[in-house]
């Protein structure tokens, strides 16, 4: 048991009180259980007006020593990483802490050989293989900043991210397996890098064995450059000592503008917060197997497959495949095969598996499960109940964990078996987290069951530090709306117990199958099609995806085939963003409802997409009210 793990509700209340009375003392206590090269001069400093936050100021450390080296003595032979391949017939890979440590040291040496230095940005586009984790940790070991790009993103999206990060190095795989599909990742990288002449170095890990083109001088095989590395030297090379506030990684996420933001997290605070939240929310006990089904291309994978679990010496299981291949019993097979203790997945996966009924669960032994978790979007009661009854067999606490890429780790959640749970409620904040609900005028909403904007009244170690290359954007997006607060972009209310229920985004950000997408981003992609004049994208409730994408599109006169154009529009979206951003519904309209100043009235379009075609609210400010009638009449 970890000293900062709360084990009872009273323990939680006590910790919460301590965190309120003296936050710095509270966090210093937690941070005392990590390895630092140099102790901090101060615990925290916050300047909300300028969006400037530091944690463990002046401290020096290397996060990978906390993830690896410090476990070698006691847990060197324990499994750190267990890899379940896409194809269940292929071999599982297990890396002990000693083995993972050695691989990370070797990969770090390889990166040094390739001329990568502290502070350099390294983009990683690999799919779910152990070498992805090794590559991330190798970057962290030498003080380079990794930016993992989800394997579903298109060449254009890779190029945008590589360019924004100013990366001159990229690590990828030849290909990736995804269910029955094989994806040629290196080909996509080649397309992307045509637009990124600054990238001088590409390291390719061979995974699928598919044919790839290697550009002389730029592209290198991972296994070949690894031949330069002397294992003894690699093991002896000390990890880079970095400042607590040096960046650890950049992770791009969507906002309400067309351009994704590079969320920056730093070493000390992120380390402390992911380990602290992991240990407490999931109540991890030594020897347990933690299976987070997320892709490491998203923050959930960063925090709860890689950094959080490894920091506390857990066994983390990573899964290459998809929930429904070869059949809808795949997760249950993995749980059974590895005797998984903790399962952490997304509502969209739960709803999708629920739609197959109980058949796929039959014959699977899920008795090893102790805690089951949900993340990424509000979980509806029906899915919660099914998860609780059919997967947890009514005996596992369900943790509905609310957080964001920007928060680094879980802020509001039940602590498994320690604090109460309630279907579709994220429930209570972790000690050290101080949520408030504000109304439009910035006043606190105190009434029960009344919706407000969810904000945080104080900083915590995992808070976003900046948006890469543009600090003003960070300030404007999160700290401007309500001075003195971090603004989440979510709406929420509280029940009579003070439990939080998150109701969803209140900005133009969609959450489609747990993937975060900006409506403006999708519109920009659609507008790239030569036959499209303009478009407006909104979300609508979708049984499995949570939210679906509804696009209203104005095309040029005289198009031949509306259905062919619909396909082309989706091809365009796939090309500019990625296949996962395809529109579920595309309605051709003669015009969009706009105010006299030219602003699209999304409120109306949202209502129509949701199926409300009568009560449209005030349309008198519209330039052409007639267009609303037409759109409502032809709704898909
Ligand atoms: C947005 C953040 C958190 C890691 C994965 C997604 C929504 C997330 C919950 C939850 C209701 C949730 C919010 C949030 N969200 N978890 N338990 N209940 N909504 O990270 O891509 O940064 O998305 O996901 O709307 O703002 P992300």
């Amino acid at each position: 048991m970890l000293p900062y793990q709360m084990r009872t509700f009273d323990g939680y209340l006590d910790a919460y009180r301590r965190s309120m009375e003296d936050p710095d003392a509270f966090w210093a206590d937690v941070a005392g259980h990590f390895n630092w090269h140099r102790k901090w001069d101060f615990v925290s400093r916050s300047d909300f007006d300028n969006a400037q936050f530091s944690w463990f100021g002046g401290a020096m450390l290397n996060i990978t020593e906390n993830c690896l080296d410090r476990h070698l003595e006691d847990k060197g032979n324990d499994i750190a990483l267990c890899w379940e391949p896409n194809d269940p017939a292929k071999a599982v890979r297990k890396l002990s802490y000693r083995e993972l440590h050695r691989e990370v040291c070797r990969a770090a040496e390889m990166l040094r050989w390739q001329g990568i230095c502290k502070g350099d940005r390294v983009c990683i586009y690999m799919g779910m293989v152990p070498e992805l984790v090794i590559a991330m940790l190798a970057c962290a070991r030498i003080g380079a900043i990794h930016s993992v790009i989800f394997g579903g993103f298109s060449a254009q999206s890779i190029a945008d991210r590589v360019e924004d990060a100013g990366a001159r190095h990229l690590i990828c795989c030849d290909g990736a397996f995804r269910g029955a599909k094989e994806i040629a990742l290196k080909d996509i990288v080649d397309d992307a890098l045509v637009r990124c002449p600054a990238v001088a170095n590409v390291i390719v890990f061979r995974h699928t064995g598919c044919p790839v083109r290697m550009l002389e001088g730029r592209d290198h095989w991972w296994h070949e450059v690894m031949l330069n590395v002397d294992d003894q030297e690699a093991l002896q090379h000390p990890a880079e000592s970095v400042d607590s506030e040096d960046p650890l990684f950049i992770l791009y996420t969507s906002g309400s503008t067309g351009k994704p933001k590079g969320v920056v997290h730093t070493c000390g605070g992120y380390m402390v917060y992911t380990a602290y939240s992991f240990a407490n929310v999931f109540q991890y006990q030594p020897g347990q197997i933690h299976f987070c089904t997320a892709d490491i291309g998203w923050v959930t994978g960063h925090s709860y497959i890689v950094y959080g679990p490894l920091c506390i010496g857990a066994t983390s299981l990573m899964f290459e495949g998809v929930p429904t291949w070869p059949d809808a019993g795949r997760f249950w097979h993995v749980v059974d095969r590895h005797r998984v203790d903790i399962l952490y997945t997304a509502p969209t996966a739960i709803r999708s598996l629920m739609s197959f009924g109980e058949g796929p669960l039959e014959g699977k032994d899920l008795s090893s499960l102790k805690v089951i978790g949900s993340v990424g979007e509000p979980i509806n009661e029906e899915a919660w109940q099914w998860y609780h009854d059919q997967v947890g067999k009514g005996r596992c606490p369900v943790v509905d964990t609310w957080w964001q890429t920007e928060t680094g780790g879980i802020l509001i959640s039940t602590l498994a078996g320690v604090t109460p749970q309630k279907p579709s409620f994220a429930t209570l904040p972790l000690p050290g987290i101080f949520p408030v609900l504000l109304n439009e005028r910035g006043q606190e909403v105190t009434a029960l069951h009344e919706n407000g904007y969810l904000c945080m009244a104080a900083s915590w170690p995992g808070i976003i530090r900046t948006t890469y290359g543009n600090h003003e954007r960070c300030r404007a997006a999160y700290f401007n709306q309500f001075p003195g607060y971090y603004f989440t972009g979510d709406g929420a209310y509280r029940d009579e117990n003070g439990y939080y229920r998150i109701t969803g985004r209140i900005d133009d950000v969609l959450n489609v199958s747990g993937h975060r997408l900006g409506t403006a981003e999708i519109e920009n992609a659609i507008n790239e099609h030569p036959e499209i004049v303009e478009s407006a994208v909104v979300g609508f409730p979708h049984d499995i995806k949570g939210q679906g994408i509804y696009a209203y599109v104005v095309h040029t006169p005289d198009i031949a085939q509306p259905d062919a154009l619909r396909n082309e529009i989706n091809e365009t979206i796939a090309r500019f963003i990625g296949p996962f951003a395809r529109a579920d519904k595309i309605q051709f309209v003669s015009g969009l409802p706009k105010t006299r100043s030219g602003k699209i009235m999304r409120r109306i379009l949202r209502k129509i997409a949701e199926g409300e075609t009568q009560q449209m609210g005030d349309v008198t400010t519209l330039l052409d009210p007639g267009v609303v009638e037409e759109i409502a009449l032809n709704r898909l």
Side-chain angles (χ1 to χ4, degrees), residues 300 376-378 400-405 490 502 505 511 516:
T300 308
E377 52 175 311
D400 176 0
T401 64
W402 178 88
W403 58 298
Q404 311 177 296
T405 305
D490 278 342
I502 314 298
R505 302 289 310 194
N511 194 325
R516 182 162 154 184

Side-chain angles (χ1 to χ4, degrees), residues 562-573 582 586 588:
D563 278 338
L565 183 56
R566 278 201 182 88
N567 285 338
E568 286 177 26
I569 288 172
N570 267 331
E571 285 306 310
T572 310
I573 296 175
R582 286 199 163 97
I586 299 175
F588 295 119

Side-chain angles (χ1 to χ4, degrees), residues 278-328:
F278 177 72
N280 280 294
V281 169
F282 300 100
Q283 289 292 308
Y284 184 86
Q285 300 302 314
Q288 290 189 337
I289 298 183
H290 172 74
F291 174 23
C292 168
T293 71
D295 193 290
I296 294 178
W298 308 108
V299 75
T300 308
H302 281 58
S303 300
Y304 300 114
I305 296 177
V306 185
Y307 290 107
L310 296 181
C311 261
I312 68 165
T315 298
S316 185
L317 192 156
M318 75 184 281
F319 171 47
E320 184 188 23
V322 296
T324 48
W325 189 85
D327 58 56

